[in-house]
């Protein structure tokens, strides 16, 4: 059975979600920021390096997908 959660706290989280979504959108579309921020991480974290390589390929090929 699910536990109860205070409505006020739920509303706070719901209202923050729009702000978090905008932040994530801005970060994901800022190539310079991502490249600079992840420069050292991709050297030592294979998972992040692989994700970043996918990101670079998508940027090179465009965001549209052919069906």
């Amino acid at each position: 059975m699910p536990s109860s959660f205070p409505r006020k706290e739920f509303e706070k989280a719901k209202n923050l979600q729009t702000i978090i979504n905008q932040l994530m959108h801005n970060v994901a579309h800022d190539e310079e920021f991502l490249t600079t921020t992840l420069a050292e991480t991709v050297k030592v974290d294979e998972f992040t390096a692989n994700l970043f390589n996918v990101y670079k390929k998508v940027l090179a090929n465009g965001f549209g997908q052919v069906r």
Side-chain angles (χ1 to χ4, degrees), residues 18-36:
T18 302
I19 296 166
I20 292 168
N21 289 349
Q22 187 63 50
L23 174 63
M24 292 184 74
H25 175 84
N26 291 344
V27 167
H29 289 86
D30 189 338
E31 181 183 2
E32 182 181 350
F33 174 79
L34 282 174
T35 302
T36 303

Side-chain angles (χ1 to χ4, degrees), residues 1 3 17 19-20 24 31 35 38 43 45 48 60-61:
M1 174 174 251
S3 59
Q17 190 60 52
I19 296 166
I20 292 168
M24 292 184 74
E31 181 183 2
T35 302
L38 296 175
K43 293 177 186 176
D45 182 3
T48 302
N61 294 320

